[in-house]
Amino acid sequence: NSSSSWSQGNPSATGTKQEDLYGGAIVITVPQSFENVSELRHVPDNQEVFMDSATGASLIIELMERVRAAPDN
């Protein structure tokens, strides 16, 4: 939706879109103007990178380590 806080202050954003991260394990909403950098160059498996080429703004999501769930007691 174009009234999101991402769009405000970013004139190149004209709405938002959903993007799957890590094979669909996580879904986020980013400005429509953000492109998935992995379609342009290599991005490590533990990162998801999006960039707005008009403004140079970027969004980097990085998994640092796996945390195992506590057993149910």
Side-chain angles (χ1 to χ4, degrees):
N1 121 11
S2 61
S3 65
S4 74
S5 61
W6 277 91
S7 298
Q8 296 170 359
N10 184 355
S12 66
T14 57
T16 59
K17 61 183 176 180
Q18 290 195 331
E19 291 283 346
D20 290 340
L21 306 182
Y22 306 107
I26 301 170
V27 178
I28 64 169
T29 302
V30 298
Q32 192 71 34
S33 60
F34 275 49
E35 296 297 326
N36 188 333
V37 172
S38 68
E39 295 175 4
L40 307 172
R41 66 173 179 85
H42 174 75
V43 173
D45 289 341
N46 68 318
Q47 292 181 348
E48 297 283 353
V49 182
F50 297 88
M51 186 175 98
D52 183 334
S53 60
T55 65
S58 61
L59 172 64
I60 302 170
I61 296 104
E62 183 170 18
L63 295 178
M64 302 301 285
E65 67 182 86
R66 182 180 181 147
V67 177
R68 301 206 183 268
D72 292 334
N73 288 332

